[in-house]
Amino acid sequence: MIFVTGGAGYIGSHTCVELLNAGLDVTVFDNFSNSQPEALSRVQSIAGKQLRVVEGDIRDGVALQQALADSGAKAVIHFAGLKAVGESEAEPLRYYDNNVVGTMRLLEAMKATGVKQMVFSSSATVYGVPQFLPYTEQHPLSATNTYGQTKLAVESMLRDVHRSDPEWRFAILRYFNPVGAHPSGRIGEDPQGVPNNLMPFVAQVAVGRREFLNVWGNDYPTPDGTGVRDYIHVVDLALGHVKAVQFLEREAGCNAINLGSGVGHSVLDLVRAFERVSNRPVPFKVGPRRSGDIAESWANPALAKNLLGWSAMSDLNKLCADTWNWQTRNPNGYTG
Ligand code: UD1
């Protein structure tokens, strides 16, 4: 049994499908603050299996400990948290409370119930401005915003807990840019309001929900002047979590591991691929650079290959095709 916090979210829901497909039992603990119960209904129908759902907040230590004990889980995958960079700058205390205090409550509940294996959702944002590329796990860590600070704080908390008692096992997964959707088109990313991230914005332009894309800067020192990122298919990412759970069962330790493809694509690469795949125009206007953005980011994914036996399978066309399939089937997300 795997206990999945934030299992109804974008990456969580895709991971639940792959856990069920791998024959693992799943309990989801989610407060549905930025997700819909409908996502979990669809997860079960895709996998053809049931999972247990407990509605609750990770900051509620009593509820959390009860749910964890009831689940009989041997390991936790911890997705629950807030993730909007701009919002984290406006409401830092809310971010520390949910992401840092929430994780503390979870570790306390795990300690009380003797569950000592955790896969944690971190982010390549912990590398800050690149000193070299591709980023390896040894790259120095820093954060340029509150969201990134909360990920760094949790990473250090996990290392400290592991040092105090090496029976704890942690896999800290540093995601690059998750995009795409399940190939069934039944689950996907459902951002509330105006999307901050590139792929959902492009998809909403292609489907006609927004007029044009703002390209945030075309004067970066990159091949076409636009920002370069390592886009990773959410199903590849989900499979990485299954591998990480299996890894923790075999091996002790506290390891930070990049989950990226190792390949960078520019904003315009992505726009062109999306136009090809959707057969729709994606009009854009070039605007100023977005504050806090870096020119380029991509992973060295060698450690994931070595430790987990995992690597990304999907190319840019597949990322766009699956996003488009989800977008056209669910033009207004889960609530449409
Ligand atoms: C962002 C967050 C990062 C977080 C990640 C989650 C910032 C500064 N960083 O990463 O901390 O972990 O999302 O997925 O918010 N772009 C446009 N127009 C748009 C949107 C994006 O041109 O409307 C460009 C950006 O300048 C960038 C690229 O597209 O070059 C990717 O942007 P985005 O999808 O927001 O991801 P990141 O900024 O890499």
Side-chain angles (χ1 to χ4, degrees):
M1 170 69 74
I2 312 294
F3 189 81
V4 183
T5 73
Y10 173 44
I11 304 173
S13 57
H14 289 81
T15 299
C16 288
V17 168
E18 300 309 329
L19 290 167
L20 293 172
N21 285 346
L24 293 159
D25 291 322
V26 175
T27 295
V28 168
F29 188 86
D30 202 306
N31 66 358
F32 301 108
S33 67
N34 188 27
S35 61
Q36 313 285 337
E38 172 66 14
L40 292 174
S41 309
R42 297 191 188 184
V43 163
Q44 297 177 87
S45 107
I46 293 168
K49 289 181 188 158
Q50 301 292 303
L51 44 71
R52 291 183 64 240
V53 185
V54 180
E55 182 167 357
D57 192 301
I58 53 169
R59 294 165 298 177
D60 179 350
V62 174
L64 192 53
Q65 190 175 318
Q66 184 72 52
L68 187 57
D70 290 349
S71 75
K74 280 174 55 188
V76 172
I77 306 182
H78 178 32
F79 291 108
L82 303 177
K83 60 166 188 176
V85 173
E87 190 181 70
S88 78
E89 289 296 281
E91 298 175 82
L93 296 176
R94 204 175 134 229
Y95 271 67
Y96 278 96
D97 189 31
N98 276 275
N99 295 4
V100 182
V101 175
T103 304
M104 250 178 74
R105 292 286 101 82
L106 178 57
L107 289 164
E108 287 163 355
M110 290 174 70
K111 189 173 176 194
T113 47
V115 182
K116 290 190 166 176
Q117 299 179 22
M118 181 197 276
V119 177
F120 174 62
S121 285
S122 190
S123 164
T125 198
V126 299
Y127 295 125
V129 178
Q131 298 183 13
F132 57 82
L133 285 171
Y135 289 119
T136 65
E137 290 80 1
Q138 281 72 46
H139 188 284
L141 303 179
S142 70
T144 52
N145 55 63
T146 303
Y147 162 73
Q149 289 291 359
T150 64
K151 291 292 176 191
L152 276 180
V154 171
E155 285 202 5
S156 7
M157 183 156 60
L158 301 185
R159 280 188 286 272
D160 293 344
V161 169
H162 175 260
R163 212 173 42 252
S164 76
D165 172 5
E167 274 188 21
W168 284 92
R169 299 177 176 202
F170 294 112
I172 296 170
L173 303 182
R174 294 181 179 152
Y175 312 149
F176 281 70
N177 290 57
V179 295
H182 192 268
S184 65
R186 303 207 55 216
I187 56 173
E189 189 172 12
D190 182 18
Q192 304 303 301
V194 182
N196 292 309
N197 296 117
L198 179 63
M199 184 68 102
F201 203 106
V202 167
Q204 292 191 5
V205 173
V207 84
R209 194 166 149 188
R210 302 191 188 276
E211 211 182 327
F212 60 90
L213 168 74
N214 281 299
V215 173
W216 302 128
N218 68 351
D219 58 352
Y220 285 106
T222 62
D224 65 19
T226 66
V228 168
R229 295 292 184 275
D230 185 334
Y231 296 96
I232 172 92
H233 197 293
V234 65
V235 174
D236 282 339
L237 208 55
L239 291 167
H241 290 74
V242 177
K243 298 269 191 184
V245 163
Q246 293 163 343
F247 171 75
L248 290 186
E249 231 183 273
R250 305 194 287 277
E251 300 211 26
C254 175
N255 290 286
I257 305 170
N258 287 341
L259 292 187
S261 71
V263 179
H265 293 291
S266 74
V267 175
L268 296 181
D269 287 340
L270 192 140
V271 166
R272 286 192 205 101
F274 208 96
E275 288 184 322
R276 254 194 329 269
V277 159
S278 65
N279 205 21
R280 298 281 182 94
V282 177
F284 65 85
K285 291 183 187 169
V286 175
R289 292 182 180 191
R290 183 173 67 180
S291 135
D293 272 0
I294 54 178
E296 302 187 290
S297 158
W298 72 92
N300 177 330
L303 190 66
K305 176 98 181 161
N306 292 341
L307 293 185
L308 310 181
W310 174 91
S311 46
M313 308 296 285
S314 301
D315 62 11
L316 188 57
N317 281 339
K318 171 85 174 147
L319 305 182
C320 295
D322 286 338
T323 305
W324 182 236
N325 186 36
W326 155 254
Q327 179 69 57
T328 48
R329 285 169 186 259
N330 309 269
N332 296 305
Y334 289 111
T335 44

